[in-house]
Amino acid sequence: MSIEELESIAQAMVAPGKGIIAIDESTATIKKRFDSVNVPNTEENRRAYREMLLTAPRLGEHISGAILYDETIRQATKAGVPFTKIMLDAGILPGIKVDIGAKPLAGFPGELVTEGLDGLRERLAEYAKLGAKFAKWRAVITIGEDTPSGTCIEANSHALARYAALCQEAGIVPMVEPEVLMDGDHDIDVCYEVTEATLRSLFGALYEQNVLLEGTILKASMVVSGKDCADQADVDSVAEATVRCLKSAVPATLPGIVFLSGGQTDEQATAHLNAMNQMGPHPWPLSFSYGRAMQTAALQLWGKDMQANFKAAQDMVVLRAKQNGLAALGQWKKVA
Ligand SMILES: O=P(O)(O)OC[C@H]1O[C@](O)(COP(=O)(O)O)[C@@H](O)[C@@H]1O
């Protein structure tokens, strides 16, 4: 695949008014989501749930791509149509999560490093054959009394950069995700400092590993107050701090930035994205790659009655796509 092809995939991922739906929950994470609505975590339920999401009518109007899990990219609808075909027909690019999870970083209690580099070249070649156009790798940075350490940030950046280089070699656009967790009672200024240091380290590592920024997408966490902080920053403060942080650390050559929702409510995730885009124009399109903030409302409906609420759940995910698509243009309006 040529450099131009990588660039055009990256640009399509952040086309105006479009974003990504993250449905790449690992089996352990989807169990937590299913538990919340009392759905047994069986392979058939995972398949049926993701069929409901991916076949939602006109989902492609506001969704440019969907991130799948290894199990999901191999699955098909009940009628036997591969999910990747359903997606391509709907104009939705197939993406794949390729990390194998965040594991304890030896020697650094409470900190994590993401694994999955061993054998990644071979796995990427297989995913490319299965139709994946982009991939995702999530690093986790934890804010605590003495964390994050420089070692943790650097180890994660190095892994993200090596993953990104392997993706481009395989003709797959890397989505690099260094998530600074919202957990903790720290204030927004601490989140800003940690996020800025993390992003600067990441872009340094991408440069060292010869990663083509024009064919890379950043999946970022927003600069927010810790979940347990008494002083919760408002929507405009979050938007202003996030944009300032990104401008100080992310090269303008990057084709786009998408956000994770990280435990924000649906409305917060949409309002924050909208406020940032109202402050534009920015050097890059700012859009979404939400998991929970795209799915929670639909999952609740589907979990209550998979058959009777099938259509209502699909309408709900399409509505969330539309709202976030408007927020990606700075045109969302809060319903009073
Ligand atoms: O821990 P896992 O199973 O890899 O999942 C992490 C999840 O976090 C995300 O990166 C972001 O999801 P949220 O928007 O819900 O925070 C998803 O893409 C992914 O499903």
Side-chain angles (χ1 to χ4, degrees):
M1 178 168 309
S2 68
I3 289 175
E4 287 74 23
E5 281 171 297
L6 281 176
E7 289 179 9
S8 78
I9 293 167
Q11 285 162 12
M13 288 165 70
V14 288
K18 289 193 180 188
I20 309 280
I21 180 168
I23 57 167
D24 61 317
E25 299 85 0
S26 56
T27 307
T29 301
I30 197 79
K31 179 176 187 316
K32 285 190 217 156
R33 310 279 182 262
F34 278 4
D35 281 352
S36 72
V37 292
N38 297 318
V39 169
N41 187 23
T42 61
E43 185 176 348
E44 174 50 20
N45 282 343
R46 294 193 293 272
R47 193 207 58 75
Y49 174 61
R50 282 150 173 166
E51 173 172 351
M52 180 279 289
L53 294 172
L54 290 172
T55 59
R58 300 191 317 279
L59 187 65
E61 284 175 14
H62 304 282
I63 294 295
S64 56
I67 318 172
L68 309 175
Y69 184 52
D70 180 75
E71 174 184 278
T72 323
I73 200 171
R74 304 168 194 281
Q75 286 176 328
T77 62
K78 189 125 200 133
V81 186
F83 283 166
T84 48
K85 172 152 177 30
I86 296 280
M87 294 168 72
L88 287 175
D89 290 350
I92 298 174
L93 295 165
I96 180 78
K97 184 225 298 288
V98 301
D99 67 73
I100 57 169
K103 308 283 162 63
L105 177 64
F108 291 81
E111 298 203 90
L112 301 168
V113 64
T114 301
E115 297 189 350
L117 288 173
D118 288 354
L120 184 56
R121 176 176 275 129
E122 292 72 25
R123 287 199 291 132
L124 284 167
E126 192 201 0
Y127 289 138
K129 275 204 199 113
L130 288 168
K133 301 291 179 208
F134 71 99
K136 196 203 77 166
W137 176 291
R138 171 173 172 262
V140 178
I141 305 295
T142 313
I143 300 182
E145 195 103 315
D146 302 312
T147 65
S149 62
T151 306
C152 174
I153 291 176
E154 277 165 34
N156 277 296
S157 294
H158 181 79
L160 274 162
R162 290 201 43 212
Y163 136 83
L166 283 164
C167 284
Q168 292 186 339
E169 183 189 87
I172 288 179
V173 168
M175 178 187 271
V176 289
E177 181 185 15
E179 175 172 4
V180 176
L181 293 181
M182 285 167 60
D183 300 345
D185 60 4
H186 55 273
D187 63 18
I188 187 169
D189 296 338
V190 172
C191 182
Y192 180 99
E193 269 173 45
V194 171
T195 307
E196 185 181 63
T198 302
L199 291 174
R200 286 186 178 174
S201 160
L202 171 62
F203 283 94
L206 293 174
Y207 174 74
E208 289 292 329
Q209 301 288 333
N210 270 344
V211 173
L212 179 83
L213 292 190
E214 290 86 340
T216 302
I217 294 289
L218 171 67
K219 176 160 174 169
S221 44
M222 295 182 197
V223 176
V224 292
S225 316
K227 254 196 318 224
D228 303 324
C229 178
D231 180 19
Q232 288 291 315
D234 62 15
V235 171
D236 286 342
S237 310
V238 168
E240 185 276 325
T242 304
V243 167
R244 189 157 41 88
C245 186
L246 293 171
K247 282 186 178 165
S248 100
V250 181
T253 33
L254 202 80
I257 301 173
V258 292
F259 293 99
L260 59 100
S261 55
Q264 297 181 32
T265 64
D266 290 6
E267 186 173 307
Q268 282 170 337
T270 305
H272 287 149
L273 178 63
N274 190 57
M276 283 187 243
N277 279 306
Q278 284 185 341
M279 291 169 186
H282 302 303
W284 348 253
L286 298 180
S287 191
F288 60 95
S289 172
Y290 297 152
R292 283 164 285 179
M294 274 295 301
Q295 299 178 56
T296 304
L299 174 63
Q300 273 162 7
L301 285 164
W302 182 83
K304 236 176 246 156
D305 192 327
M306 295 178 195
Q307 264 84 46
N309 285 349
F310 186 86
K311 189 175 171 302
Q314 287 193 322
D315 291 347
M316 185 55 81
V317 75
V318 171
L319 177 67
R320 290 298 298 137
K322 187 171 177 194
Q323 289 169 332
N324 289 317
L326 287 169
L329 299 169
Q331 292 171 6
W332 173 76
K333 284 196 182 53
K334 182 178 168 154
V335 186

Short mmCIF file of all heavy atoms in Angstrom, two decimals, residues 5-6 35 49 57 63 76 100 102 124 137 139 141 148 151 156 184 188 193 199 214-215 241 270 276 304 307 325:
data_model
loop_
_atom_site.label_atom_id
_atom_site.label_comp_id
_atom_site.label_asym_id
_atom_site.label_seq_id
_atom_site.Cartn_x
_atom_site.Cartn_y
_atom_site.Cartn_z
N GLU A 5 -2.32 6.05 0.03
CA GLU A 5 -3.48 5.25 0.48
C GLU A 5 -3.65 5.33 2.00
O GLU A 5 -4.76 5.44 2.50
CB GLU A 5 -3.34 3.80 0.02
CG GLU A 5 -3.73 3.63 -1.45
CD GLU A 5 -3.40 2.24 -1.99
OE1 GLU A 5 -2.20 1.90 -2.01
OE2 GLU A 5 -4.31 1.53 -2.38
N LEU A 6 -2.51 5.25 2.72
CA LEU A 6 -2.60 5.38 4.19
C LEU A 6 -3.18 6.74 4.55
O LEU A 6 -4.05 6.86 5.42
CB LEU A 6 -1.19 5.28 4.82
CG LEU A 6 -0.58 3.90 4.99
CD1 LEU A 6 0.84 4.02 5.54
CD2 LEU A 6 -1.43 3.03 5.93
N ASP A 35 -22.82 -7.36 32.28
CA ASP A 35 -23.26 -7.55 33.67
C ASP A 35 -24.19 -6.41 34.10
O ASP A 35 -25.15 -6.61 34.83
CB ASP A 35 -22.05 -7.58 34.63
CG ASP A 35 -21.34 -8.93 34.60
OD1 ASP A 35 -21.88 -9.88 33.97
OD2 ASP A 35 -20.26 -9.04 35.21
N TYR A 49 -25.26 -8.82 19.82
CA TYR A 49 -25.21 -7.41 20.23
C TYR A 49 -24.49 -6.58 19.17
O TYR A 49 -24.95 -5.52 18.73
CB TYR A 49 -24.49 -7.29 21.58
CG TYR A 49 -24.27 -5.87 22.01
CD1 TYR A 49 -25.34 -5.00 22.23
CD2 TYR A 49 -22.97 -5.37 22.20
CE1 TYR A 49 -25.14 -3.68 22.62
CE2 TYR A 49 -22.77 -4.05 22.59
CZ TYR A 49 -23.85 -3.22 22.79
OH TYR A 49 -23.64 -1.91 23.17
N PRO A 57 -29.66 0.94 10.66
CA PRO A 57 -29.83 1.61 9.37
C PRO A 57 -29.21 3.01 9.36
O PRO A 57 -29.38 3.77 10.31
CB PRO A 57 -31.35 1.71 9.22
CG PRO A 57 -31.92 0.68 10.14
CD PRO A 57 -30.94 0.54 11.27
N ILE A 63 -20.85 7.72 10.97
CA ILE A 63 -19.77 6.85 11.46
C ILE A 63 -18.87 6.48 10.29
O ILE A 63 -19.32 5.90 9.29
CB ILE A 63 -20.39 5.56 12.10
CG1 ILE A 63 -21.18 5.92 13.37
CG2 ILE A 63 -19.31 4.52 12.41
CD1 ILE A 63 -20.37 6.49 14.52
N ALA A 76 -20.11 -13.00 11.77
CA ALA A 76 -21.05 -12.67 10.70
C ALA A 76 -22.44 -12.47 11.30
O ALA A 76 -22.68 -12.82 12.46
CB ALA A 76 -21.08 -13.81 9.69
N ILE A 100 -2.85 -6.52 23.42
CA ILE A 100 -3.44 -7.63 24.19
C ILE A 100 -3.61 -7.25 25.66
O ILE A 100 -3.71 -8.10 26.52
CB ILE A 100 -2.68 -8.96 23.99
CG1 ILE A 100 -1.21 -8.83 24.37
CG2 ILE A 100 -2.81 -9.46 22.57
CD1 ILE A 100 -0.50 -10.18 24.44
N ALA A 102 -3.34 -4.02 28.98
CA ALA A 102 -2.40 -3.29 29.85
C ALA A 102 -2.07 -4.18 31.05
O ALA A 102 -2.97 -4.62 31.76
CB ALA A 102 -3.03 -1.98 30.29
N LEU A 124 -0.96 -8.60 12.04
CA LEU A 124 -1.42 -7.49 11.19
C LEU A 124 -1.63 -7.96 9.75
O LEU A 124 -2.60 -7.53 9.10
CB LEU A 124 -0.40 -6.34 11.23
CG LEU A 124 -0.44 -5.50 12.51
CD1 LEU A 124 0.80 -4.60 12.60
CD2 LEU A 124 -1.70 -4.65 12.60
N TRP A 137 -4.31 0.63 19.45
CA TRP A 137 -3.50 0.14 20.58
C TRP A 137 -3.69 1.15 21.70
O TRP A 137 -3.47 2.35 21.50
CB TRP A 137 -2.03 0.06 20.16
CG TRP A 137 -1.03 -0.34 21.19
CD1 TRP A 137 -0.64 0.38 22.29
CD2 TRP A 137 -0.23 -1.54 21.20
NE1 TRP A 137 0.34 -0.30 22.97
CE2 TRP A 137 0.61 -1.48 22.33
CE3 TRP A 137 -0.15 -2.65 20.36
CZ2 TRP A 137 1.53 -2.48 22.64
CZ3 TRP A 137 0.76 -3.65 20.67
CH2 TRP A 137 1.58 -3.56 21.81
N ALA A 139 -2.70 2.54 25.43
CA ALA A 139 -1.81 2.58 26.59
C ALA A 139 -2.57 3.25 27.73
O ALA A 139 -3.44 4.10 27.49
CB ALA A 139 -0.57 3.38 26.26
N ILE A 141 -2.33 5.37 31.30
CA ILE A 141 -1.51 6.17 32.21
C ILE A 141 -2.36 6.50 33.43
O ILE A 141 -3.46 7.05 33.31
CB ILE A 141 -1.04 7.48 31.51
CG1 ILE A 141 -0.31 7.17 30.19
CG2 ILE A 141 -0.18 8.33 32.45
CD1 ILE A 141 0.99 6.40 30.32
N PRO A 148 2.07 9.38 37.13
CA PRO A 148 2.87 8.40 36.41
C PRO A 148 4.37 8.69 36.51
O PRO A 148 4.77 9.84 36.63
CB PRO A 148 2.40 8.57 34.96
CG PRO A 148 2.02 10.00 34.85
CD PRO A 148 1.43 10.36 36.20
N THR A 151 9.31 6.55 33.49
CA THR A 151 9.56 5.21 32.92
C THR A 151 8.29 4.64 32.31
O THR A 151 8.31 4.07 31.21
CB THR A 151 10.07 4.25 34.02
OG1 THR A 151 11.20 4.87 34.65
CG2 THR A 151 10.45 2.91 33.46
N ASN A 156 5.41 2.99 27.49
CA ASN A 156 4.18 2.95 26.71
C ASN A 156 4.34 3.66 25.36
O ASN A 156 3.82 3.21 24.34
CB ASN A 156 3.02 3.54 27.50
CG ASN A 156 2.42 2.52 28.45
OD1 ASN A 156 1.86 1.51 28.01
ND2 ASN A 156 2.56 2.75 29.75
N GLY A 184 -9.34 9.15 40.23
CA GLY A 184 -8.51 9.90 41.19
C GLY A 184 -9.16 11.22 41.59
O GLY A 184 -10.18 11.62 41.02
N ILE A 188 -7.88 19.44 37.38
CA ILE A 188 -7.69 19.48 35.91
C ILE A 188 -6.27 19.89 35.54
O ILE A 188 -5.74 19.45 34.52
CB ILE A 188 -8.76 20.40 35.25
CG1 ILE A 188 -8.69 20.30 33.72
CG2 ILE A 188 -8.64 21.84 35.72
CD1 ILE A 188 -9.84 20.95 32.98
N GLU A 193 -1.00 18.55 32.90
CA GLU A 193 0.46 18.29 32.92
C GLU A 193 0.79 16.87 32.48
O GLU A 193 1.72 16.65 31.70
CB GLU A 193 0.99 18.44 34.36
CG GLU A 193 1.46 19.82 34.70
CD GLU A 193 1.81 19.89 36.17
OE1 GLU A 193 2.48 18.97 36.67
OE2 GLU A 193 1.36 20.85 36.82
N LEU A 199 1.78 13.07 25.72
CA LEU A 199 1.70 13.32 24.27
C LEU A 199 3.05 13.72 23.70
O LEU A 199 3.44 13.29 22.62
CB LEU A 199 0.65 14.40 23.97
CG LEU A 199 -0.81 13.98 24.22
CD1 LEU A 199 -1.74 15.17 24.04
CD2 LEU A 199 -1.23 12.85 23.27
N GLU A 214 1.29 11.62 8.75
CA GLU A 214 0.17 11.85 7.83
C GLU A 214 -0.73 10.61 7.70
O GLU A 214 -1.86 10.71 7.27
CB GLU A 214 0.68 12.23 6.43
CG GLU A 214 1.30 13.61 6.36
CD GLU A 214 2.79 13.63 6.73
OE1 GLU A 214 3.26 12.67 7.40
OE2 GLU A 214 3.47 14.60 6.36
N GLY A 215 -0.20 9.47 8.11
CA GLY A 215 -0.99 8.22 8.04
C GLY A 215 -1.25 7.67 9.43
O GLY A 215 -1.26 6.44 9.63
N ALA A 241 -8.82 23.69 27.98
CA ALA A 241 -7.59 23.02 28.44
C ALA A 241 -7.18 21.90 27.48
O ALA A 241 -5.99 21.72 27.19
CB ALA A 241 -7.80 22.45 29.85
N THR A 270 -20.42 14.49 24.47
CA THR A 270 -20.88 15.24 23.30
C THR A 270 -20.66 16.74 23.50
O THR A 270 -20.17 17.43 22.60
CB THR A 270 -22.37 14.94 23.04
OG1 THR A 270 -22.54 13.53 22.94
CG2 THR A 270 -22.87 15.59 21.76
N MET A 276 -15.24 22.19 22.00
CA MET A 276 -13.91 22.31 21.38
C MET A 276 -14.04 22.75 19.93
O MET A 276 -13.29 23.60 19.46
CB MET A 276 -13.19 20.96 21.43
CG MET A 276 -12.65 20.65 22.78
SD MET A 276 -11.67 19.15 22.67
CE MET A 276 -12.59 18.10 23.75
N LYS A 304 -32.63 -5.05 28.03
CA LYS A 304 -33.95 -5.25 28.64
C LYS A 304 -34.75 -6.28 27.86
O LYS A 304 -35.43 -7.12 28.44
CB LYS A 304 -34.70 -3.92 28.67
CG LYS A 304 -35.14 -3.53 30.09
CD LYS A 304 -35.81 -2.18 30.11
CE LYS A 304 -34.96 -1.19 30.90
NZ LYS A 304 -35.18 0.19 30.53
N GLN A 307 -35.22 -8.87 21.61
CA GLN A 307 -36.06 -8.91 20.42
C GLN A 307 -36.93 -7.66 20.31
O GLN A 307 -36.87 -6.92 19.32
CB GLN A 307 -36.98 -10.15 20.43
CG GLN A 307 -36.43 -11.33 19.64
CD GLN A 307 -35.45 -12.14 20.49
OE1 GLN A 307 -35.74 -12.45 21.63
NE2 GLN A 307 -34.30 -12.47 19.92
N GLY A 325 -21.75 13.39 15.67
CA GLY A 325 -21.38 13.91 14.36
C GLY A 325 -21.58 15.42 14.32
O GLY A 325 -20.75 16.17 13.79
#
